[in-house]
Amino acid sequence: MPPSPFATSTCPPGHGTVHLTLLPPATPTFSTLTYAYPLKLLPSTPHILAPWKYVDAPSTPPTSDSASHPASQPPTRPTQTPLLFLLSYGGGLLPPDTISLTLTLALHTRLTLTTQGSTKIFPSPSHSPSAIATQTLTASISAGAGLLLAPDPVQPFRGSGYTQKQVFEVVLGRCEKGIAYGEEGASLGVLDWVTEGRRSRGESWALRTYKSKLEIWATPTSDTEPRTLIMRDNLILSPTPTSSVTAKMDNLGVFGTLVLLGPLFTSLGDFFMEEFKLLPRIGGRDWGDKQTVQEVENRSTHLAEEQQRRAHWRLSRISAEKAGQVLWTAARVRGCVVVKFVAREVEGARMWLGSMWREEGTVGREFGEGGLMCLR
């Protein structure tokens, strides 16, 4: 057999490394992109970004607080957002498969990381309790950079075992009296969700074990300072001697978490919080009845055109949430907006989340259609 024309890979099995840097003047480029079986990384067409319309801060006389800071400058905006697919051979993981991906986003870069379908977790042929498929993601996001991690949901098959850990290190921005000095903070959007399995084959949370941990750390400003934990989220699904996971999930088909942090996701986070405040509460009006629909229509005639459109969209979305048995909540946690959601079926969750993202617009505008692929 003739020798291979390609260099021998030094990447360990299942490991991948992605280093995104800014090619002058402002083009994000993969300076490092390596992977080894069973992991595969596939770059695709990047999303072209429109120029940033920067509005200068109002001029004010210098003060003792601002004299030591440089003048406020428009933040560097990349020309495009690269799209990267995270794949596995066979469409899933078979224990003892181990995936380990390291991401580094340099100053002012941006990346959309997604999948081409659900990540299937196959049961071990040996049925050994210690047979676990694992996936680890470690990401370092520099100042002004942004990462959107929006994969399709994990789909654990009957008897499967899976452990996932995602660790993000972000640079927080510094703001004094409403004016940003120096570099802006990093931005992070993470969608993490899991389904009940293959309903067509009678599976409903028939997995053996599922563990998912998500951590966000603030990068220290000096070598002498320790990292600061911003948030940690844990999900553990395992049957007990007295209760199955199926019973605990109460006939729900999908469970998910959305975490939003940083300037690129401020508007989207605020949008979720505002919409959550407007949800009907226990003992309140049934927003699907005819009387409420008529009241909203009568009231919306006195609103501006955009407000009318938003009011009708909200009414339609709430009705769809009720039909799809979608329940969700949102809260602010140490600078993050954390959204938890459940639904009877995956399609209901996709439609709800897709409606929210498209209505607000940040994901499509800043990260392109690639960021919405998991919701199609």
Side-chain angles (χ1 to χ4, degrees):
M1 176 180 289
S4 171
F6 301 102
T8 303
S9 175
T10 58
C11 190
H15 284 62
T17 302
V18 178
H19 193 175
L20 194 64
T21 55
L22 203 64
L23 187 68
T27 303
T29 305
F30 292 109
S31 58
T32 301
L33 182 62
T34 63
Y35 58 88
Y37 178 88
L39 172 65
K40 187 174 183 179
L41 300 173
L42 182 63
S44 188
T45 305
H47 169 65
I48 305 302
L49 293 168
W52 205 328
K53 295 181 179 179
Y54 180 75
V55 180
D56 291 327
S59 58
T60 56
T63 64
S64 58
D65 292 333
S66 61
S68 60
H69 298 295
S72 179
Q73 297 294 329
T76 300
R77 180 173 174 84
T79 58
Q80 61 187 27
T81 300
L83 172 62
L84 184 64
F85 288 100
L86 174 62
L87 310 175
S88 57
Y89 290 87
L93 300 176
L94 175 68
D97 285 350
T98 299
I99 298 294
S100 180
L101 178 61
T102 301
L103 295 176
T104 302
L105 273 61
L107 198 68
H108 299 303
T109 57
R110 198 174 298 184
L111 177 66
T112 300
L113 184 61
T114 186
T115 57
Q116 290 184 331
S118 62
T119 300
K120 301 170 181 60
I121 310 301
F122 301 104
S124 170
S126 66
H127 300 286
S128 171
S130 61
I132 301 289
T134 62
Q135 183 162 290
T136 303
L137 170 65
T138 304
S140 177
I141 310 173
S142 302
L147 171 65
L148 174 64
L149 176 59
D152 289 89
V154 176
Q155 186 182 29
F157 288 6
R158 182 186 302 275
S160 62
Y162 177 70
T163 298
Q164 170 182 280
K165 184 176 182 180
Q166 301 176 104
V167 180
F168 303 92
E169 293 189 354
V170 301
V171 175
L172 299 182
R174 183 159 54 91
C175 185
E176 297 180 13
K177 298 183 178 180
I179 299 177
Y181 295 99
E183 299 295 347
E184 59 178 324
S187 297
L188 174 65
V190 181
L191 175 61
D192 180 19
W193 48 339
V194 57
T195 73
E196 63 182 338
R198 298 170 293 182
R199 177 176 294 182
S200 61
R201 302 195 63 176
E203 296 179 356
S204 177
W205 306 106
L207 51 86
R208 179 163 47 83
T209 181
Y210 177 93
K211 298 179 181 180
S212 178
K213 177 185 286 187
L214 187 154
E215 295 181 348
I216 302 178
W217 296 81
T219 302
T221 56
S222 67
D223 296 336
T224 59
E225 297 179 1
R227 296 189 307 170
T228 303
L229 180 64
I230 299 177
M231 71 158 287
R232 175 183 287 135
D233 184 76
N234 276 308
L235 173 63
I236 301 177
L237 299 176
S238 296
T240 65
T242 59
S243 178
S244 66
V245 179
T246 304
K248 295 177 181 178
M249 297 306 289
D250 195 25
N251 205 34
L252 296 171
V254 59
F255 179 92
T257 301
L258 174 66
V259 180
L260 304 169
L261 171 70
L264 286 177
F265 294 104
T266 297
S267 176
L268 183 58
D270 291 344
F271 180 74
F272 270 97
M273 294 301 300
E274 290 301 318
E275 290 301 316
F276 179 66
K277 292 177 183 178
L278 295 174
L279 283 178
R281 295 296 186 252
I282 295 176
R285 177 67 59 81
D286 180 358
W287 285 73
D289 63 33
K290 294 182 179 180
Q291 179 182 356
T292 301
V293 171
Q294 186 62 48
E295 288 179 1
V296 171
E297 291 180 347
N298 292 340
R299 187 166 60 251
S300 65
T301 58
H302 303 289
L303 302 176
E305 182 177 348
E306 175 59 23
Q307 292 176 310
Q308 291 183 36
R309 188 200 61 77
R310 176 63 62 82
H312 283 282
W313 167 83
R314 182 177 298 114
L315 182 62
S316 175
R317 194 206 77 229
I318 293 176
S319 298
E321 289 176 9
K322 182 178 179 181
Q325 299 182 44
V326 178
L327 298 175
W328 64 283
T329 183
R332 296 190 186 275
V333 181
R334 301 188 69 181
C336 304
V337 171
V338 180
V339 181
K340 296 283 187 177
F341 63 91
V342 295
R344 179 66 188 92
E345 297 182 0
V346 177
E347 190 60 28
R350 289 187 197 273
M351 292 180 62
W352 165 75
L353 193 56
S355 176
M356 294 286 284
W357 282 13
R358 291 184 177 91
E359 176 66 18
E360 192 278 332
T362 290
V363 173
R365 181 176 61 253
E366 302 294 341
F367 294 90
E369 283 299 312
L372 299 168
M373 289 188 65
C374 66
L375 305 177
R376 295 178 180 174

